[in-house]
């Protein structure tokens, strides 16, 4: 075993549970979210003269890993735009925070309905964790987590799923606050220090770093290795199968 492999393996050795983010960690749906956000804001900003258009970097700078409506607010704030909130179930045609968020969600669900293929290396790592007797949970800002897990054929592995719906019901602040990860640990009847957080988003890594977790494993799906390390990741891998000895 090389020194680097030994360090990678140590990041989850001695843990009792793995807390997985979903989009970008278990499934490639982060790219679907990116497409849905771009479609949403390309359309919306076209009606806003003098406002700079949507850029690829906007996803990582203002949206990635956050609860959907926080992403809407933070992106609009980057353009100096403030909209009324609207009701939570506001019509997607309305230019409100909730209307835009629901419009994005409709686009996302249209794409996901065709099915989702999980990352092969992530499935291998998940199985390795289960084989070791570790507990597992999904912690996602998305309100679509159960549907994505079902589409990817992973639902049977996760009795605990803390998503955007659960967070709202429990009054938990979203990432980068560690509350949703801490709540998942509680549901598994474990302390945070016994749980490993696995994240690909800066806000998610920050959430793990802000809590007293065993370690925070970053998966670089585009945010950048150094960026994730700077956010507090214990180590960063390109694929979770790198953690299997």
């Amino acid at each position: 075993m090389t020194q680097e492999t030994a360090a990678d393996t140590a990041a989850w050795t001695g843990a009792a549970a793995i807390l997985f983010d979903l989009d970008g960690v278990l499934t490639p749906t982060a790219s679907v979210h990116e497409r849905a956000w771009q479609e949403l804001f390309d359309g919306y900003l076209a009606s806003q003269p003098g406002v700079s258009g949507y850029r690829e970097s906007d996803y990582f700078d203002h949206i990635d890993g956050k609860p959907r409506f926080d992403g809407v607010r933070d992106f609009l704030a980057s353009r100096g735009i403030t909209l009324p909130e609207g009701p939570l179930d506001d019509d997607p045609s309305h230019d409100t925070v909730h209307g835009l968020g629901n419009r994005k969600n409709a686009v996302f669900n249209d794409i996901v309905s065709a099915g989702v293929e999980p990352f092969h290396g992530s499935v291998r790592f998940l199985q390795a964790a289960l084989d070791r007797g570790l507990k597992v949970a999904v912690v996602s800002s998305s309100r679509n987590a159960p549907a994505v897990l079902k589409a990817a054929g992973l639902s049977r592995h996760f009795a605990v799923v803390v998503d955007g719906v659960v967070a709202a019901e429990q009054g938990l602040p979203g990432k980068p606050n560690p509350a949703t990860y801490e709540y998942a640990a509680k549901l598994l009847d474990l302390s945070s220090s016994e749980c490993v957080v696995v994240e690909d988003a800066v806000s998610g890594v920050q959430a793990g770093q802000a809590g007293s977790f065993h370690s925070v494993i970053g998966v670089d799906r585009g945010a950048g290795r150094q960026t994730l390390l700077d956010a507090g990741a214990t180590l960063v891998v390109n694929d979770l199968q790198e953690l299997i000895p």
Side-chain angles (χ1 to χ4, degrees):
M1 181 182 295
T2 67
Q3 183 176 358
E4 183 177 356
T5 302
D8 291 355
T9 303
W12 62 298
T13 298
I18 309 289
L19 310 180
F20 293 91
D21 177 45
L22 178 59
D23 301 313
V25 170
L26 290 173
T27 62
T29 37
S31 62
V32 179
H33 281 290
E34 287 185 67
R35 288 168 54 193
W37 282 112
Q38 179 160 5
E39 183 171 327
L40 168 70
F41 286 124
D42 279 347
Y44 172 73
L45 293 177
S47 65
Q48 305 297 311
V51 178
S52 58
Y54 185 84
R55 301 182 292 267
E56 183 177 348
S57 59
D58 284 319
Y59 180 74
F60 294 106
D61 291 342
H62 308 297
I63 298 168
D64 188 25
K66 298 177 182 178
R68 187 194 321 152
F69 301 122
D70 287 350
V72 173
R73 293 185 196 96
D74 289 352
F75 173 81
L76 293 175
S78 76
R79 299 305 195 267
I81 298 172
T82 302
L83 292 178
E85 289 290 301
L88 190 62
D89 60 349
D90 207 353
D91 191 286
S93 66
H94 294 170
D95 287 344
T96 63
V97 168
H98 291 133
L100 290 177
N102 293 336
R103 193 183 310 171
K104 177 264 173 182
N105 196 50
V107 175
F108 177 84
N109 283 330
D110 283 345
I111 299 171
V112 167
S113 63
V116 176
E117 184 69 27
F119 288 112
H120 176 69
S122 297
V123 173
R124 286 195 62 212
F125 176 69
L126 168 62
Q127 190 59 58
L130 293 171
D131 289 346
R132 289 190 180 194
L134 274 67
K135 297 180 179 181
V136 295
V138 162
V139 181
S140 173
S141 297
S142 174
R143 290 171 173 260
N144 301 307
V148 171
L149 285 169
K150 182 178 180 180
L154 297 176
S155 296
R156 67 187 185 278
H157 298 301
F158 296 101
V160 172
V161 178
V162 179
D163 66 352
V165 174
V166 173
E169 290 173 348
Q170 297 297 320
L172 304 174
K175 304 169 187 177
N177 191 291
T180 51
Y181 276 113
E182 290 169 344
Y183 187 64
K186 179 181 178 181
L187 292 178
L188 292 174
D189 198 26
L190 296 170
S191 66
S192 296
S193 62
E194 297 175 280
C195 302
V196 175
V197 168
V198 184
E199 268 283 356
D200 71 309
V202 169
S203 60
V205 169
Q206 290 172 334
Q209 194 276 335
S212 301
F213 294 97
H214 176 282
S215 56
V216 182
I217 297 172
V219 185
D220 183 11
R221 306 289 193 194
R225 179 180 182 276
Q226 193 58 51
T227 298
L228 295 175
L229 289 172
D230 291 344
T234 307
L235 83 159
V236 176
V237 297
N238 293 317
D239 192 292
L240 286 176
Q241 65 183 353
E242 297 171 30
L243 299 169
I244 305 173

